[in-house]
Amino acid sequence: MRSTTNRLRATAAVAIAVGMGAAALTALPATANAAADGLSVQYRTSASAARADQAEPWFKVKNTGTDSVSLQGVRLRYYFKADSANATYRFACSWAVKGCANITGTFGTLANPTATADRYLEIGFTSGAGSLAPGADTGDMQLRFYQSTWAPLNQSDDYSFGASQTSYADWSKVTAQLAGTTLWGQAPAGNDPTNPPTDPPTDPPTGGATLFDDFNYTSHTDPRISANGWSVRSNSGGPGVSGATWAPENITFSAAGGNSIMNLETSTAGTGASTEQTEILTKSMKFKNGTYAARVRFNDAPKSGPDGDHLVQTFFTINDLKAPLADDYAEYDFEYLPNGGWGEPSNILYTTSWETYQADPWVAVNQHSESRQSYTGWHDLVLTIDNSSIKYYVDGRLFGTHDAAYLPERPMSINFNQWLIDFGGLTSSTPRAYDEQVDYVLHVKDQVLTPAQVASKVAAYRSAGTTFHDDVPAG
C-alpha cells in the first residue's frame, strides 16, 4: 500500500521462470483390481518435457462405487525418481475445482527403491473438500512439485510420469486409497502404498502465537469483524485519487469452492467524487517478525464496465510514519497493478520493503522486486521476516529477498486494500468496478514457515472447522 498518492519506483526487474509444457500421453490400461469398488484416477501432465523446472501432474478422482465417498479419507500417490540422494521437494497447487486450500501434498521415501521410483508425492484432502456422490469426480486438480533449489527435474525416469497426454485418461501408475485400502493403481514393485509418508516437509513447527482468519462473515456490518480485531475503513484520506471515498459496504462475503471468500470492490466513473475504494485492516499494530500469508485473487479485467484504470490490488503490513524519514517506520507490500501505473505500461507485481519515506519533497527509502506479467487469478502470497532478511513468495516460489536494513523496528497492522492511482489509464465517464478477493490470512509470530508449511497449517485449521483464531499478544 502507498501511504501517499504518488510513489515513484526504480525499475530493476526480477524474472520468474515458469516451467510449462504440454504433450500427449498414451494411457496405460487400468490394472487395479478394485477400480469397480470405489475409485478411479485420471491423469494428465502440463509439463511434458523430459527435463522441466517442475513436474505438473494434474488429476481427477472419480467415485465409481455405489456409496458416497468422503474425500478426507482418500490418498493418491505419484511415484518418481529423486534427482539426487539429498534432493528435497516442495508441493504446490495452482488451481483446483475443490479449492487448493483443501488439497495437501507430502513426500515419502519408498522402502524398496526401483529403477524408476524411490520417492512419492502423496495427495490428501481436508474436510473442506467434501464428498463425492456415486459417479461424481473432483474436477481438475492442477498440481505441481519442484526441487527446493529450483534445479531442473529429470522426469524421463519417473514411474508415474507420462510424457504424451493432453487430455485426462485413466492412469494406473498412480495409486488411490480410501480409508487405508488401495482401490486403484499399481505401485512400483515391492512397495505397499499403505505406509504413511516418511519425510513430509510440510509439517509446520508446533506452537507459536497465531492469527488465522477464514473471513467467514455475513457482511461488513457483522459484529464479529470488529470483535475479531478488524476495521473496515470508512474515513477519508489516501492513498488514491483526490476526492475518493472508502466504502465499507463494498466489502462483501460469499461462499466459493467450499470456503468463505471476502470481496473488495472498487468502482469509479472517472472522477474522484464517483470513486469508491475499499480497505480492511487490523485495529491493532501487534505483528512484527514471523510469517504472513494470504490467498488472494487478483483480477486483470473489471467485473463491469470498460477496462484500463491504474488500479492497485494489495496485501501488506504497515505502521505509522511518526515524522518525515522516521527510521522506525515499516511497510511490506504485495501490490498488483493489472493495468500498469507509476510509469509502467501494463500489468506488474511489486513486492516492496520500506525503511522510511518523506512525502514533500518525495524521498523513498525502500527495496523492491517486481515481475512484469499477468497475475490474474488466485495466488498464495507468503512474506517472512526474521532477524536477517525479508522474503516474499508467490505460489511457493521465492519472488524476492530484501536486506536486513529494511527490517521492522516496531509492530505493524495487517491490511488489504484496492484503490486507484490516477485516471491516466482510462479517460471515460462510463461506470466500472473491479474486484479483489481474499480467501484467508495467516500470521505466525516469530516463526519462519515455508509456503508448504503455511498450506499445511491452514489445512489443519480448516480440517478442525476453525474459522478464526488469534492468540498473538497485543503490542
Side-chain angles (χ1 to χ4, degrees), residues 368-441:
H368 55 88
S369 305
E370 61 222 31
S371 178
R372 294 171 175 84
Q373 65 181 65
S374 172
Y375 281 87
T376 193
W378 284 105
H379 295 284
D380 296 307
L381 309 179
V382 176
L383 159 69
T384 65
I385 303 173
D386 58 19
N387 291 321
S388 61
S389 66
I390 305 107
K391 296 182 184 295
Y392 297 85
Y393 298 83
V394 178
D395 296 330
R397 186 164 188 177
L398 183 63
F399 187 92
T401 301
H402 297 169
D403 300 335
Y406 302 93
L407 292 172
E409 290 85 5
R410 290 189 291 123
M412 302 165 288
S413 62
I414 296 175
N415 305 47
F416 299 88
N417 67 14
Q418 185 179 214
W419 52 278
L420 291 178
I421 300 170
D422 54 44
F423 296 116
L426 177 61
T427 303
S428 173
S429 60
T430 303
R432 58 267 192 188
Y434 301 84
D435 282 345
E436 174 188 359
Q437 285 98 23
V438 183
D439 184 11
Y440 71 84
V441 68

Side-chain angles (χ1 to χ4, degrees), residues 300-325:
D300 282 351
K303 69 185 296 183
S304 62
D307 192 10
D309 287 302
H310 289 159
L311 184 74
V312 186
Q313 301 172 343
T314 75
F315 165 47
F316 64 101
T317 70
I318 192 172
N319 60 30
D320 54 324
L321 182 72
K322 294 183 177 297
L325 298 178

Side-chain angles (χ1 to χ4, degrees), residues 129-150:
S131 300
L132 293 179
D137 66 51
T138 58
D140 272 342
M141 295 188 292
Q142 299 179 10
L143 312 180
R144 54 193 172 90
F145 67 93
Y146 51 91
Q147 290 201 68
S148 57
T149 61
W150 278 102

Side-chain angles (χ1 to χ4, degrees), residues 116-431:
T116 58
D118 55 13
R119 307 278 187 95
Y120 57 86
L121 167 65
E122 182 169 286
I123 303 301
F125 300 87
T126 72
S127 60
S131 300
L132 293 179
D137 66 51
T138 58
D140 272 342
M141 295 188 292
Q142 299 179 10
L143 312 180
R144 54 193 172 90
F145 67 93
Y146 51 91
Q147 290 201 68
S148 57
T149 61
W150 278 102
L153 300 173
N154 176 19
Q155 301 190 97
S156 63
D157 59 355
D158 290 350
Y159 176 86
S160 294
F161 174 66
S164 58
Q165 184 152 319
T166 56
S167 59
Y168 283 106
D170 288 351
W171 196 245
S172 67
K173 290 192 172 184
V174 173
T175 57
Q177 296 173 267
L178 176 61
T181 299
T182 302
L183 297 182
W184 176 264
Q186 182 65 52
N191 292 280
D192 183 349
T194 61
N195 294 328
T198 56
D199 56 349
T202 55
D203 292 342
T206 58
T210 301
L211 166 70
F212 170 73
D213 201 330
D214 214 16
F215 295 113
N216 188 20
Y217 303 111
T218 57
S219 73
H220 75 283
T221 61
D222 191 327
R224 294 176 299 160
I225 295 177
S226 180
N228 289 346
W230 295 98
S231 174
V232 180
R233 184 174 177 182
S234 60
N235 61 299
S236 61
V241 295
S242 178
T245 58
W246 297 88
E249 66 274 14
N250 291 343
I251 294 182
T252 57
F253 303 88
S254 62
N259 297 321
S260 177
I261 302 297
M262 177 172 65
N263 188 81
L264 288 75
E265 177 189 294
T266 291
S267 61
T268 187
T271 65
S274 67
T275 301
E276 295 184 345
Q277 305 178 141
T278 44
E279 181 169 12
I280 186 169
L281 63 153
T282 59
K283 293 184 286 186
S284 175
M285 291 187 186
K286 63 178 184 177
F287 308 98
K288 193 181 175 188
N289 285 15
T291 299
Y292 301 79
R295 184 164 172 78
V296 176
R297 182 179 178 89
F298 299 130
N299 289 289
D300 282 351
K303 69 185 296 183
S304 62
D307 192 10
D309 287 302
H310 289 159
L311 184 74
V312 186
Q313 301 172 343
T314 75
F315 165 47
F316 64 101
T317 70
I318 192 172
N319 60 30
D320 54 324
L321 182 72
K322 294 183 177 297
L325 298 178
D327 62 5
D328 63 349
Y329 176 74
E331 180 182 346
Y332 305 94
D333 303 326
F334 288 92
E335 294 172 307
Y336 182 56
L337 282 60
N339 295 312
W342 293 323
E344 292 290 333
S346 61
N347 38 34
I348 185 169
L349 176 65
Y350 287 106
T351 61
T352 309
S353 301
W354 288 86
E355 170 59 19
T356 190
Y357 73 94
Q358 175 179 279
D360 188 20
W362 178 248
V363 178
V365 184
N366 64 36
Q367 186 175 6
H368 55 88
S369 305
E370 61 222 31
S371 178
R372 294 171 175 84
Q373 65 181 65
S374 172
Y375 281 87
T376 193
W378 284 105
H379 295 284
D380 296 307
L381 309 179
V382 176
L383 159 69
T384 65
I385 303 173
D386 58 19
N387 291 321
S388 61
S389 66
I390 305 107
K391 296 182 184 295
Y392 297 85
Y393 298 83
V394 178
D395 296 330
R397 186 164 188 177
L398 183 63
F399 187 92
T401 301
H402 297 169
D403 300 335
Y406 302 93
L407 292 172
E409 290 85 5
R410 290 189 291 123
M412 302 165 288
S413 62
I414 296 175
N415 305 47
F416 299 88
N417 67 14
Q418 185 179 214
W419 52 278
L420 291 178
I421 300 170
D422 54 44
F423 296 116
L426 177 61
T427 303
S428 173
S429 60
T430 303

Side-chain angles (χ1 to χ4, degrees), residues 57 59 61 71 74-76 91-106 121-129 138-144 202 257 259 295 380 452 454-456 458-460 462:
F59 301 114
V61 180
L71 283 170
V74 173
R75 294 289 182 269
L76 310 184
F91 165 78
C93 172
S94 297
W95 186 82
V97 172
K98 290 292 184 179
C100 282
N102 297 316
I103 298 173
T104 63
T106 54
L121 167 65
E122 182 169 286
I123 303 301
F125 300 87
T126 72
S127 60
T138 58
D140 272 342
M141 295 188 292
Q142 299 179 10
L143 312 180
R144 54 193 172 90
T202 55
N259 297 321
R295 184 164 172 78
D380 296 307
V454 166
S456 180
V458 171
R462 287 179 162 169

